[in-house]
Amino acid sequence: MPWFEKKGLCDQLQRAIVSISSNIAEGCAKPSDKDFAKFLDTALGSSYEVETQLTIAHNVGYISDDIFTDLMNDVQSIERQLTGFIRSVRKE
């Protein structure tokens, strides 16, 4: 891949990672649980975006198998935590 495609992939991955915590923080400031849950949904969507970006990076050879596995385990743990948090906020 040309350098600018690598940079684009890295930039997108960084934005998605930052978006997870940023949406959680922004949601905390909302006046209702319903509004908060919407931001948590967005954070969860960003975590799935991180998974996708990591998969692409792995498939094109930018991330080794071991590091990919570790990162995917971390992201999937975050997704499970967010899913539980969303359920508790929505009182499901």
Side-chain angles (χ1 to χ4, degrees):
M1 291 179 109
W3 69 269
F4 57 87
E5 288 183 16
K6 291 177 192 176
K7 183 181 182 322
L9 181 62
C10 289
D11 289 347
Q12 185 62 31
L13 180 58
Q14 288 172 336
R15 281 192 298 276
I17 291 168
V18 169
S19 177
I20 295 169
S21 56
S22 296
N23 276 290
I24 294 168
E26 188 172 354
C28 286
K30 296 303 175 186
S32 71
D33 287 346
K34 182 178 178 182
D35 290 335
F36 184 25
K38 287 180 186 177
F39 280 87
L40 293 175
D41 286 335
T42 302
L44 182 59
S46 293
S47 70
Y48 285 114
E49 185 177 350
V50 169
E51 259 196 69
T52 301
Q53 299 298 328
L54 289 173
T55 300
I56 292 167
H58 178 254
N59 289 345
V60 297
Y62 298 151
I63 300 175
S64 70
D65 292 342
D66 292 344
I67 292 173
F68 175 71
T69 299
D70 289 345
L71 291 172
M72 288 299 278
N73 287 337
D74 290 344
V75 171
Q76 290 168 350
S77 174
I78 290 167
E79 291 166 355
R80 287 190 298 275
Q81 292 174 58
L82 279 170
T83 299
F85 195 16
I86 291 166
R87 285 186 182 137
S88 70
V89 168
R90 288 192 172 130
K91 295 160 182 66
E92 294 178 354

